[in-house]
Amino acid sequence: MRRPAISGIAHNRSSRLEGFYRRSLEDRVALISEWAALTSEETALLADSIGPRHADLMIENVVGRFAMPFGIGANFLIDGRDYLIPMAIEEPSVVAAVSSAALLARAGGGFSTGSTDPVMIAQIQLLDIADAVKSKNAILASKERILACANTSPSLSRLGGGPQGLEVRCLPDTPAGPMLIVHLLIDCRDAMGANAANTAAEAAAPVLEQLSGGRAGLRILSNLSDRRRAWVEVEIPAKAFDSSDYSGRDVIRGIAEANAFAVADIYRATTHNKGIFNGVDAVLLATGNDWRAVEAGAHAWAARDGQYRALTDWHVRGCEEGETLYGRLELPLAVGTVGGATRSHPSARIALKILGFEIDGTNGIGPGNCGHDGDTVARSGSHGAKRLSEIIAAVGLAQNLAALRALATTGIQKGHMRLHARQVAVSAGAEGEAVEYIAARLIAEGRVRVERARELLQT
Ligand code: MEV
């Protein structure tokens, strides 16, 4: 699947950053600044983002700021275009692992993605209904009137978004008695859409009460955004997995077996999907998106047939000579490239810029712009949110591939140990070049302990 260029997306450079991790922090910053054409102010913000005053305007009871490492997932080729992936995460190995999996995927032409329209569901709960069938029919017969009431954002409809459809579900037997649930389907364009959905639900509730003869209870979006999904596929030749210790054919078979385990077993599926979210959440956080919403929706989606399962499919394709590993991930992904923290948080703005999204400055950096501004919902009609959801799906699949490849071969501890040893060396007081030296010695000795690192520092 190939798609046309999206304006502002950087696509004439390679994301294949060989030896990026070996460069100094200063070199890495300089390279990324050049890649994303960051201004000097933006480059400075990579190191020091929101100030305490800005934080105080974002949430309540602020007493400080909590900083996270901001790293770059390299080597991504998505729909024929190179991407560097901004990731905010505290866990060692995640960024290195996703970059190595993205490199493997390049051997198969990279990732191919797709997504639905950005349609969110807003729910209205109707109680005290005397005749559910009659009320349901009355609501369905007045669909256009209800959608008109729910159409509260002229700017969103100007961009082709807004309420598009309506469904009525009956819950005949709940502990609180029978209820009718109305779903408004709202195209939120480039916004995550919580504000748009909640406003629409509240606006439509009075007419729904009138039509049903009932009483409106909750009016709120559903985080099971199963109408707003993204998917990604990859197909990698077995030989790309060859190493001195393992044949590629054995590795891809191991990955397929690992996936089968996670499809069949809820305990494994939970860990498997957690690994996907190592990547997904890191991009959501870096871009100022609501990772709790995406997690909630994706886990519910993973259990849609009644059993919680792996979100991915990995299987071996082809025959003897030409075997490949095919992988696919599909999940609900309600994200925005406008509104909320995506534009008001300076780091999120920079993350979007690194991904190639145009930053128009309409919701600029500054303490006055930190709230959830429903009006920013509709500033962009460029399908940025769709694209972001596809990129995030690709990161999730790559992260999963990295984990399964390690688990199906040497196990994950070997890779983890390298970074863990660095942290142990730092805890023991190592600085500068000594960190790598001590870490290497700890690994070579098989004793990654702070006491040993202290001893080594004294010699
Ligand atoms: C660790 O953060 C994630 C993994 O456990 C995922 C997996 O087991 O697939 C390695």
Side-chain angles (χ1 to χ4, degrees), residues 323-341:
E323 274 189 351
T324 60
L325 177 70
Y326 168 83
R328 188 174 198 282
L329 167 66
E330 178 165 349
L331 72 170
L333 253 165
V335 294
T337 54
V338 296

Side-chain angles (χ1 to χ4, degrees), residues 124 126 146 149 184 200-210 216-219:
I124 299 111
L126 295 169
I146 298 161
C149 288
L184 299 174
E202 290 184 11
V207 68
L208 288 169
E209 284 185 321
Q210 210 183 69
L218 302 191
R219 297 146 298 160

Side-chain angles (χ1 to χ4, degrees), residues 91-92 94 268 271-276 278 399-400 403-404 407 412 416:
E91 185 173 328
V94 167
R268 174 58 205 154
T271 323
H272 179 102
N273 290 343
K274 187 274 182 186
I276 295 170
N278 278 344
Q399 201 72 61
N400 179 242
L404 297 192
L407 289 166
I412 60 159
H416 264 300

Side-chain angles (χ1 to χ4, degrees), residues 268-423:
R268 174 58 205 154
T270 307
T271 323
H272 179 102
N273 290 343
K274 187 274 182 186
I276 295 170
F277 278 95
N278 278 344
V280 167
D281 284 356
V283 188
L284 291 171
L285 189 54
T287 56
N289 273 289
D290 184 343
W291 73 96
R292 288 89 56 208
V294 174
E295 286 254 6
H299 293 301
W301 167 259
R304 65 195 177 282
D305 73 0
Q307 187 187 317
Y308 184 83
R309 298 181 191 281
L311 286 161
T312 52
D313 171 27
W314 288 104
H315 60 260
V316 175
R317 275 185 175 172
C319 56
E320 231 20 60
E321 291 314 292
E323 274 189 351
T324 60
L325 177 70
Y326 168 83
R328 188 174 198 282
L329 167 66
E330 178 165 349
L331 72 170
L333 253 165
V335 294
T337 54
V338 296
T342 62
R343 295 297 169 101
S344 68
H345 194 296
S347 302
R349 285 168 56 89
I350 293 168
L352 288 170
K353 200 165 168 182
I354 292 170
L355 285 169
F357 293 101
E358 270 173 5
I359 306 296
D360 60 10
T362 51
N363 194 12
I365 299 171
N369 290 321
C370 327
H372 282 264
D373 173 9
D375 216 15
T376 55
V377 157
R379 286 221 176 95
S380 164
S382 67
H383 293 279
K386 264 169 76 67
R387 190 63 187 141
L388 180 59
S389 71
E390 294 161 354
I391 294 168
I392 292 174
V395 175
L397 190 65
Q399 201 72 61
N400 179 242
L401 172 60
L404 297 192
R405 184 195 188 199
L407 289 166
T409 54
T410 49
I412 60 159
Q413 284 312 91
K414 197 173 164 199
H416 264 300
M417 268 311 150
R418 220 170 307 134
L419 287 158
H420 177 56
R422 268 160 58 171
Q423 286 178 345

Side-chain angles (χ1 to χ4, degrees), residues 67-113:
M68 290 273 266
F70 184 116
I72 296 292
N75 307 327
F76 274 83
L77 184 61
I78 304 173
D79 300 316
R81 193 164 302 151
D82 279 272
Y83 288 92
L84 293 178
I85 310 293
M87 302 176 80
I89 185 155
E90 87 298 345
E91 185 173 328
S93 299
V94 167
V95 175
V98 86
S99 303
S100 72
L103 184 57
L104 270 174
R106 286 181 95 90
F111 299 97
S112 301
T113 70

